[in-house]
Amino acid sequence: DPDLRNLAPFVVNASVVTAQAQIGAMLLRRFAKPFTEVRSLADVLRFLILGGPVSCLTAGLAGPATLVFFDIIPGELYGTIALT
């Protein structure tokens, strides 16, 4: 069904964003102390880096890959869009 094919990129992208949140939570649980136990600058930085930029790489890299996979954008634009 053509309508379901048009829906696929959005379903995949929603799954990627959900995975991003799960990966961020997993990284924080594994490598960062609970917020109530943060006692040093290193604890704060670990929390901010893992919960922010590192977990955001998931959707930042997989989202454009989804667009290329479904031929929504040409492959040459992947790097530019992922960097953006």
Side-chain angles (χ1 to χ4, degrees), residues 26-79:
M26 180 210 52
L27 286 171
L28 289 174
R29 278 194 299 269
R30 173 80 172 93
F31 297 107
K33 293 181 180 180
F35 194 70
T36 57
E37 296 179 21
V38 171
R39 305 245 190 275
S40 68
L41 179 60
D43 292 340
V44 172
L45 291 176
R46 191 176 302 114
F47 183 84
L48 291 175
I49 290 170
L50 292 175
V54 172
S55 66
C56 288
L57 284 174
T58 305
L61 298 176
T66 301
L67 297 176
V68 171
F69 180 80
F70 285 103
D71 292 323
I72 295 172
I73 63 167
E76 306 86 56
L77 292 179
Y78 172 80

